[in-house]
Amino acid sequence: MMHREFLCALCQVSSVPISWGRSDTDSGKEIRQQRTGISRMSTRRTPALARAVAVCLALCLVGALSVASGSAAPRPAQRLGAADAPSDKFPEGSGIKAGYWVEDTVSRIEKLRSEITIGQGTFNALVNPAATGGTIRGLLDLPEADSYFVTFGIMPVTSTVQLIQDGEAEGTVQVSFRPDPDNPDKNWMRAEADVTAKVFIKLKNVKVDGQPLDVGPDCRTATSASIRIKGNLPLQEGDPDSDTETRSTYTIPPFAGCGATEDLDPLLTGLVSGPGNALKTNLRLRCIATRCEQG
């Protein structure tokens, strides 16, 4: 068997001499050209070369990574994606129905130094308000998102990222009243919420330099990621401050079940998994109480 160092060196020699990627300083607006020192005369990438480099990267990293790969198969999750749950679905039980649009969601993956933008989704909650000790339960529904990053400044990698909710989001609320800035006789009911949502992170349609890398149909985190969301949510329609921006950080667990023909768990775990990932999103009131039942 070849030594890992030789495989890594082979990857570097076989890789494309000219690669393109977004740098951390240009905010995605400029393109930085990177050279590996090999002649410009052999800059064209072929499908076979891209696949070879992908395999090289996998072999090299598998030998190098000491991060736990979570090789056990992921446990079944409660999927609440757009295809399975309409946006008007709420948790069962008693309480005030409060529906929110989830907008302008951006997650920064710390290890990749890359951002993923997620389209408009919904958070449908059941609120049991109280001055202290109130509760909130909710269903989070977010669309799939496309990701782009450059591995080691060599190869562009694209994939589709899917967030699959693992059970209901749960937390606490504390009801307060905010004075209307334009009407001293009017107060708006708000809920200071502290909610934890658990989601599996699933990868599919992975391509390395445009060439498919078969991660299989069940490539996702071995356990769900816990995302804590804190914010002051509106509970009345007409509230002039109907938007709530939230920011949080979360840890991406190791991946499991990745690779149709070879074990890619250590590769994806080493590239993606870890702490310090940032999430910014905006919650905007969509409906409240019986208005949610009217659609």
Side-chain angles (χ1 to χ4, degrees):
M1 180 179 293
M2 297 182 183
H3 292 295
R4 179 179 61 81
E5 290 79 7
F6 177 75
L7 284 171
C8 292
L10 181 61
C11 287
Q12 293 175 353
V13 172
S14 303
S15 63
V16 181
I18 303 293
S19 64
W20 303 85
R22 296 181 177 89
S23 70
D24 233 13
T25 57
D26 59 24
S27 301
K29 294 181 180 180
E30 297 179 357
I31 299 298
R32 176 167 53 92
Q33 185 178 21
Q34 303 168 333
R35 303 188 60 179
T36 63
I38 303 176
S39 170
R40 286 176 174 268
M41 296 181 63
S42 59
T43 62
R44 185 176 180 180
R45 301 170 184 159
T46 65
L49 177 59
R51 286 192 295 270
V53 173
V55 173
C56 276
L57 290 174
L59 291 173
C60 177
L61 283 175
V62 165
L65 295 174
S66 59
V67 182
S69 65
S71 57
R75 61 187 174 89
Q78 175 186 359
R79 184 182 174 193
L80 297 169
D84 301 312
S87 60
D88 61 352
K89 183 176 177 64
F90 282 79
E92 299 291 336
S94 60
I96 300 174
K97 291 182 178 179
Y100 299 90
W101 293 114
V102 182
E103 301 174 320
D104 305 322
T105 303
V106 178
S107 179
R108 178 174 173 81
I109 310 304
E110 178 63 22
K111 275 191 175 180
L112 298 175
R113 300 190 180 278
S114 177
E115 291 185 345
I116 299 174
T117 300
I118 302 174
Q120 186 185 66
T122 58
F123 178 61
N124 291 336
L126 203 62
V127 181
N128 283 284
T132 58
T135 62
I136 181 172
R137 297 184 291 117
L139 303 180
L140 180 67
D141 183 7
L142 295 174
E144 297 177 348
D146 295 327
S147 68
Y148 170 88
F149 59 92
V150 177
T151 55
F152 312 112
I154 297 174
M155 276 288 175
V157 177
T158 59
S159 67
T160 300
V161 180
Q162 185 179 13
L163 301 181
I164 305 173
Q165 187 170 3
D166 182 21
E168 296 177 352
E170 296 180 334
T172 60
V173 293
Q174 182 174 339
V175 172
S176 61
F177 291 89
R178 185 183 66 84
D180 191 309
D182 299 322
N183 184 356
D185 297 325
K186 176 70 175 178
N187 291 301
W188 297 99
M189 185 167 66
R190 313 276 296 187
E192 191 66 42
D194 186 348
V195 186
T196 297
K198 295 183 178 181
V199 295
F200 289 96
I201 302 172
K202 183 175 182 178
L203 299 179
K204 60 182 183 179
N205 301 329
V206 178
K207 294 183 179 180
V208 179
D209 197 31
Q211 300 304 311
L213 178 64
D214 193 352
V215 297
D218 301 309
C219 179
R220 66 182 186 188
T221 52
T223 59
S224 55
S226 294
I227 303 177
R228 187 177 182 184
I229 301 172
K230 300 177 70 174
N232 192 260
L233 304 178
L235 290 177
Q236 286 180 273
E237 289 184 338
D239 190 331
D241 189 15
S242 63
D243 290 11
T244 300
E245 182 180 278
T246 68
R247 295 176 181 267
S248 57
T249 58
Y250 65 100
T251 296
I252 298 177
F255 281 82
C258 302
T261 59
E262 58 184 321
D263 184 8
L264 297 178
D265 295 346
L267 171 66
L268 295 173
T269 295
L271 284 174
V272 181
S273 300
N277 307 286
L279 179 71
K280 179 183 75 67
T281 193
N282 191 66
L283 298 175
R284 179 168 59 88
L285 185 64
R286 179 173 58 89
C287 65
I288 193 73
T290 56
R291 289 291 186 92
C292 294
E293 299 173 359
Q294 296 172 6

